[in-house]
Amino acid sequence: GAGVSQSPRYKVAKRGQDVALRCDPISGHVSLFWYQQALGQGPEFLTYFQNEAQLDKSGLPSDRFFAERPEGSVSTLKIQRTQQEDSAVYLCASSSWLGYTFGSGTRLTVV
Amino acid sequence: AQSVTQLDSQVPVFEEAPVELRCNYSSSVSVYLFWYVQYPNQGLQLLLKYLSGSTLVESINGFEAEFNKSQTSFHLRKPSVHISDTAEYFCAVIDTDKLIFGTGTRLQVFP
């Protein structure tokens, strides 16, 4: 596609529920990144893939967070047993030599 | 690890006035710097970037930033702002393939 597509656009989850957030990168982009942006804050790095390999997951805040990109294209960020502090916008970006392109994000609200 | 600091969380300014948004980076041998803009409920859009070469970089909508190695700064400037420039602005640096963002500066332009 022309840009990075994320779905759903909004997600409301009850505390303790599992959620899955999807990212469709730009076709052909090798690198894919996930960021968490809390209200009023800058985006914080979560994890990074090069093709299907997860090269860096140092930013994942706990073992409840899991990301995958099994075929080197679409990626899913999964959060298990959601908690209120997980409420944030989750941004996905893909990159090529031209630069980084961000999706519009998924706004997760945990109630 | 690379990092950036945005000292001003909010910058109020009147329309047609000049503005400067400050960004300082942690010193390193080589550094790649970016400014992104985020309008309400939207994703991040690249405003401009410094990779190498000329230390003054410009965007298509009148913003410019100057890479200053001696002061480890990459301040964003515009000589005359418009109402439509109201947004959140993020400075970012690359650290081992991933973008590291500052905490952001909210530019509020008043009529």
Side-chain angles (χ1 to χ4, degrees), chain A residues 32-36 43-48 56-60, chain B residues 98-101:
Chain A
L32 183 146
F33 305 81
W34 283 99
Y35 288 82
Q36 180 191 58
E44 296 277 350
F45 170 78
L46 293 177
T47 186
Y48 154 50
D56 187 342
K57 53 181 181 179
S58 62
L60 295 176
Chain B
K98 59 186 182 282
L99 281 169
I100 302 299
F101 289 89

Side-chain angles (χ1 to χ4, degrees), chain A residues 16-93:
Chain A
Q17 185 180 353
D18 296 350
V19 298
L21 313 179
R22 177 187 169 104
C23 173
D24 266 288
I26 292 174
S27 178
H29 278 196
V30 168
S31 299
L32 183 146
F33 305 81
W34 283 99
Y35 288 82
Q36 180 191 58
Q37 186 176 19
L39 190 64
Q41 301 295 317
E44 296 277 350
F45 170 78
L46 293 177
T47 186
Y48 154 50
F49 291 86
Q50 197 168 87
N51 294 307
E52 68 278 6
Q54 190 173 19
L55 299 187
D56 187 342
K57 53 181 181 179
S58 62
L60 295 176
S62 77
D63 58 8
R64 296 186 296 105
F65 286 71
F66 172 76
E68 60 184 5
R69 195 186 184 197
E71 297 178 0
S73 178
V74 171
S75 176
T76 303
L77 176 67
K78 297 178 179 177
I79 309 173
Q80 297 177 322
R81 305 180 303 281
T82 52
Q83 300 177 7
Q84 279 195 314
E85 61 261 31
D86 299 335
S87 294
V89 175
Y90 291 85
L91 295 168
C92 176

